Amino acid sequence: MPERLVEAREARGIATQLALANLIGKPRSTVSRWETGEATPEPETLDALAAQLNVRRSYFLRPVQATGHGAFFARARKSVEKGVQSAVRARLKWTTDISLVLQHYFDFPHYDVPESLRSISYKSLRDEDIEEIAVTLRAHWHLGEGPISSMVGVLEAHGFVVARDEVGSGRLDGLCHWSEVDERPYILLATDKQSFFRSQMDAAHEMGHAILHRGVDQAAFERDFDLIETQAFRLASAFLMPGRTFSLEARYPTLNGLLTMKERWRVSVKAMIKRCTDLGIITDVTSTQLYKHYSAKGWNRGEPLDREFPEDPPKLLARAIKDLVESGERSKMELMENEFIIPASDIETLTSLPRGWLRSDGDVVSFPLQRRTTQSSEGEVINLFGWHQSKR
């Protein structure tokens, strides 16, 4: 009960015990005792809490999964409000709950990185080491050296669970946390200032944390924030824009030239400027000039093509839920009453299901589930769903 109460309060953006106390007409000290486990709300008060926090009463009775003590890596500025950070962490925990329910029915793709990358010490990493890690990872996933058409799709195909949510701040782009329950990383991508191209880098950045910083705890993350963030961004850039092939196309970069590369490489012009600097294609002076021209064009408020590409939502969790329903294994009502403990609207948001899908009772049309992961000639993952039904 105590952990679930804190989780629900934070997930709803109620940052303090006092704020919740005022909402339900109780002293702050009473809420504090509930959250520490020193006292338990009366049944009628529990109902009031459930109504105020928009969860079912059974939510408070479900045990919290011990997902581990590793850091929550936020692609954010240090100045992001603590309430926003707490809310996003709680929402990512809800995503873990959803995923673990679905894994009773399906074997999700296993976390798949080379053994050599599983025990990295981030403090000893040099830029050239990170570049080599990107090359190793692409080779292991058979992705070649070309552009990545869907970074979210690549991650879902190799054992990551990805969710999307509006976080209420334009200063926080994503969050990553390792779950020790199912031995996989969970990523939440913010949609507040979203474009497809920005999402590509955000997803790759959180992948960088998952691979480079798995053993880092919250204290170490906060202490070495700048180093850890720089490493994650370097790996993301190297993964999305491999040094050998990207350098050949960006040999003499100009803003217009990089803009013509944007659609092919699926990353922002700003990210390409930084990559050209990292690779030594341009000097710091030239980089500064390009950034000034970039700002003068107003591209820092939105680049060309940003609105012309559709969003790239995660598909793994939504497809699992749909397949359960469409196969007749579980109805929507059974899922909501017996399996999930958070409201349908939150599940729809986090899993990228259509709004209202879980709350509708329309006719279900079945379609076959493709069961193997295949790749294109360029190594891009086409079909994510290599799972099979299991456990029940």
Side-chain angles (χ1 to χ4, degrees), residues 184-371:
R184 69 176 70 246
Y186 283 77
I187 291 173
L188 188 145
L189 301 176
T191 61
D192 300 66
K193 296 195 304 182
Q194 201 55 270
S195 77
F196 167 79
F197 303 95
R198 182 165 181 164
S199 179
Q200 288 274 93
M201 182 58 71
D202 292 344
H205 184 101
E206 300 307 332
M207 177 201 72
H209 284 311
I211 292 172
L212 300 179
H213 308 127
R214 178 175 179 178
V216 177
D217 61 22
Q218 198 67 36
F221 176 49
E222 293 172 5
R223 183 185 66 241
D224 297 331
F225 178 86
D226 291 337
L227 172 62
I228 289 172
E229 282 292 288
T230 298
Q231 289 179 345
F233 185 81
R234 182 69 182 237
L235 181 57
S237 297
F239 187 83
L240 289 171
M241 295 169 277
R244 191 180 71 85
T245 48
F246 181 78
S247 296
L248 293 174
E249 294 190 33
R251 192 174 302 173
Y252 306 107
T254 63
L255 280 189
N256 288 335
L258 293 175
L259 183 59
T260 63
M261 294 171 60
K262 178 175 178 175
E263 182 172 356
R264 169 169 156 73
W265 282 95
R266 306 297 181 99
V267 291
S268 68
V269 171
K270 188 173 185 179
M272 286 190 278
I273 295 173
K274 180 65 168 69
R275 184 61 174 152
C276 287
T277 309
D278 288 343
L279 291 172
I281 298 171
I282 58 176
T283 65
D284 289 339
V285 172
T286 302
S287 174
T288 299
Q289 292 173 341
L290 286 174
Y291 282 132
K292 287 181 178 179
H293 294 157
Y294 180 97
S295 296
K297 287 177 173 288
W299 287 5
N300 53 340
R301 296 186 297 274
E303 294 183 8
L305 300 180
D306 278 357
R307 296 183 181 275
E308 297 178 26
F309 275 67
E311 295 176 346
D312 182 30
K315 299 176 179 65
L316 184 70
L317 297 177
R319 180 57 197 270
I321 294 172
K322 286 183 175 180
D323 193 60
L324 274 180
V325 173
E326 291 165 356
S327 68
E329 183 78 16
R330 285 289 184 271
S331 68
K332 296 177 185 180
M333 182 178 296
E334 286 173 329
L335 285 175
M336 295 312 306
E337 291 185 353
N338 302 326
E339 298 284 11
F340 297 131
I341 58 173
I342 63 175
S345 58
D346 292 294
I347 296 170
E348 290 162 356
T349 296
L350 292 169
T351 65
S352 297
L353 279 169
R355 183 172 297 181
W357 190 88
L358 276 169
R359 292 162 283 176
S360 68
D361 295 316
D363 294 334
V364 171
V365 179
S366 297
F367 57 90
L369 177 67
Q370 298 182 36
R371 297 187 179 276

Side-chain angles (χ1 to χ4, degrees), residues 135-204:
V135 172
T136 299
L137 193 60
R138 270 185 168 251
H140 184 73
W141 288 348
H142 306 289
L143 294 173
E145 296 183 81
I148 300 294
S149 61
S150 171
M151 189 65 220
V152 170
V154 168
L155 294 180
E156 290 189 313
H158 294 95
F160 294 70
V161 173
V162 185
R164 296 170 78 247
D165 198 10
E166 184 175 347
V167 304
S169 172
R171 293 180 293 178
L172 193 154
D173 299 318
L175 190 73
C176 176
H177 180 66
W178 261 93
S179 167
E180 302 302 334
V181 177
D182 53 346
E183 293 290 315
R184 69 176 70 246
Y186 283 77
I187 291 173
L188 188 145
L189 301 176
T191 61
D192 300 66
K193 296 195 304 182
Q194 201 55 270
S195 77
F196 167 79
F197 303 95
R198 182 165 181 164
S199 179
Q200 288 274 93
M201 182 58 71
D202 292 344

